Amino acid sequence: MMRFPSHHRPLLLLFLVLVTVLTELKWVKCQGHDYQDALSKCILFFEGQRSGFLPADQRLTWRGNSGLGDGSASSLDLTGGYYDAGDNIKFGFPMAFTTTMLAWSVVEFGDSMPYFQLREALVAVRWATDYLLKTVSQPDRVFVQVGDPIIDHNCWERPEDMDTARTVYSVDTTRPGSDVAGETASALAAASMAFKSSDPGYSDTLLRTAVRVFQFADNYKGAYSDNPDVRSGACPFYCDFDGYQDELLWGAAWMRRASQDDSYLNYIQNNGKTLGADENINEFGWDNKHAGLNVLISKEFLERNVYSLESYKASADSFICTIIPESSSSHIEYTPGGLIYKPGGSNMQHVTSIAFLLLVYANYLSRSSQTLNCAGITVGPDTLRQLAKRQVDYILGDNPMGMSYMVGYGSNYPQRIHHRGSSLPSVKDHPQFIACKEGSVYFNSSDPNPNVLIGAVVGGPGEDDVYEDDRADFRKSEPTTYINAPLVGVLAYLAANPNPT
């Protein structure tokens, strides 16, 4: 047996420790991520954003009932729905977009989900659509928001303790809102497809209502935030900065997809130029729908040879090429660690929505055996899938900080997210009322949040890949529903195809 001199033994011990650590790191790298676990948590997040009367099977039990009087001052029932982020306001514009993306996730990738996850995803969709149906219950009117954000943001208060003004904002024939109405129609139409096999009666109700709401959006054109009464509540948080025209095309695209009615195909063909289909084509999010509608409409061109839609497909190609780092047409910025980055805050909303479009477009290209040409570079479906996977892997921990930006996933994730319900003691642990300003001590605390909002994806690091885990820095530390919604579809795909090639 070989023996080492005693003065060499510390070096030997250090060597063995290094070998062990490197072996562990290599093992972790080989194992990859548990996309199934991440998907379950991504869906669970929505339970933490619920408003209204919570069901008996609520799994995030630190939450309680809230907003039970929403709409009552106007003799309406506007209970339910989701709080958009870390506050207690129900903003209709981003909530409808969240719903569209959740439903689209199910439509495109639901077949990849195990039954229990598909059921949970549909529950998340229905919590939103049940509320959206209430917002359009009156003819030619949409209730677009509940709560005064200026007053709400002046408080750090649990939703269960809310005693701030629950102002109701609406649009109608004289003060139109084609943007919110168009997005609501999109959400209902997409959800009608998601529920078609499991609940055909509900699906029919959603589609029938979507037809009526889209007609209202198209008949009475205008942006909801141009209305002074709505503007005071929606802006600057969810102003329509990009105009309502894209929501009309987006709505028509979803109406066509859900109904197969040729009148919507004609609408898309005839109104593309006048509604600016070829403008701002490289953006996609709660305000700008261009890249998404171009990808969505391209399906018919690629799979059914509807050549009149070729301009939409060309715009989709152009958008995709801007994401390919090797392409000379690339303009999207990446951090040194490889994360898609757009200035302005809440960057992960761009990352998850773009990753979603990459996977959807990859599927459309694959089914039609096509590729695209990006300034001389041939790009196929597998390239798009690998790029989407790298973005998700970054979110889940493959980044310079070694941090998962999904709360509750992995062992190192944000502890101090900008979220009232998560950062204040739960009503179960502290049943006494915590008033508006009494919550400030919790906001200013350096302690981790007492309630873990499992599945929440925060705004993420800056362009230097640095994340400080600072509750006050809402641009980085605040989760939103529209970050998670497209991620549901992306994770569903990766859970079924963990190594796309």
Side-chain angles (χ1 to χ4, degrees), residues 42-194:
C42 190
I43 298 170
L44 179 59
F45 158 75
F46 289 94
E47 294 193 17
Q49 299 302 112
R50 284 172 169 171
S51 181
F53 188 85
L54 302 186
D57 61 357
Q58 168 82 12
R59 292 174 292 170
L60 293 181
T61 56
W62 50 267
R63 276 298 321 280
N65 301 331
S66 63
L68 299 183
D70 282 358
S72 59
S74 304
S75 301
L76 301 165
D77 174 13
L78 292 175
T79 57
Y82 291 118
Y83 304 119
D84 72 300
D87 54 20
N88 301 322
I89 304 298
K90 295 192 297 203
F91 292 101
F93 197 15
M95 195 195 306
F97 176 68
T98 292
T99 311
T100 306
M101 296 309 295
L102 269 175
W104 198 4
S105 291
V106 171
V107 170
E108 295 291 347
F109 303 110
D111 289 346
S112 301
M113 297 182 190
Y115 171 76
F116 74 95
Q117 284 181 329
L118 177 58
R119 182 181 62 81
E120 290 166 358
L122 287 172
V123 167
V125 175
R126 184 157 187 162
W127 193 270
T129 50
D130 281 353
Y131 173 78
L132 292 179
L133 287 172
K134 294 178 181 180
T135 69
V136 296
S137 58
Q138 296 183 7
D140 292 337
R141 171 170 289 182
V142 181
F143 297 100
V144 298
Q145 185 173 318
V146 179
D148 184 318
I150 305 300
I151 298 172
D152 179 87
H153 290 178
N154 194 41
C155 296
W156 197 256
E157 198 170 32
R158 300 179 297 199
E160 296 83 2
D161 287 335
M162 250 191 303
D163 56 354
T164 52
R166 302 301 286 170
T167 309
V168 174
Y169 302 83
S170 65
V171 296
D172 54 31
T173 57
T174 59
R175 302 167 302 170
S178 302
D179 34 28
V180 182
E183 186 61 65
T184 301
S186 299
L188 297 175
S192 76
M193 296 183 68

Side-chain angles (χ1 to χ4, degrees), residues 2 21 44 109 174 180 217 221-222 247 301 350 356 375 469:
M2 184 178 294
V21 169
L44 179 59
F109 303 110
T174 59
V180 182
K221 293 182 177 68
E247 277 81 28
F301 175 85
H350 306 299
F356 181 90
D469 201 11

Side-chain angles (χ1 to χ4, degrees), residues 100 104 186 189-190 193 249-259 296:
T100 306
W104 198 4
S186 299
M193 296 183 68
L249 287 172
W250 176 241
W254 275 111
M255 295 305 301
R256 166 64 177 173
R257 178 86 181 263
S259 69
L296 179 65

